[in-house]
C-alpha cells in the first residue's frame, strides 16, 4: 500500500513539474516576442562577431 502511495506521489509531482516547465517556457517565449526580454542567443552571437 505504501509503495502505491509513493508511486502516485511521484507521478503527480512529475506531471506538476512538466506543467510548470511548459508554462514557464511559454511565458518566456511570450516575453521575447513582446520585446520585454531580449533573446540571449542573438546577444551571444553578436558579442562573438563584435
Amino acid at each position: 500500500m505504501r509503495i502505491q502511495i509513493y508511486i502516485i506521489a511521484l507521478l503527480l509531482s512529475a506531471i506538476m513539474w512538466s506543467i510548470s516547465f511548459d508554462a514557464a517556457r511559454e511565458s518566456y517565449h511570450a516575453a521575447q516576442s513582446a520585446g520585454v526580454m531580449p533573446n540571449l542567443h542573438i546577444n551571444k552571437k553578436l558579442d562573438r562577431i563584435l
Side-chain angles (χ1 to χ4, degrees):
M1 187 71 176
R2 290 192 104 165
I3 293 175
Q4 290 175 344
I5 293 172
Y6 288 131
I7 291 173
I8 290 171
L10 178 71
L11 291 175
L12 285 175
S13 65
I15 290 170
M16 292 302 293
W17 183 86
S18 65
I19 289 171
S20 64
F21 179 77
D22 190 44
R25 185 178 61 172
E26 289 297 321
S27 63
Y28 180 77
H29 287 302
Q32 275 187 346
S33 64
V36 177
M37 183 178 290
N39 191 344
L40 299 177
H41 300 290
I42 294 174
N43 287 342
K44 286 182 182 179
K45 289 180 181 178
L46 286 176
D47 286 339
R48 289 181 192 165
I49 294 171
L50 300 175

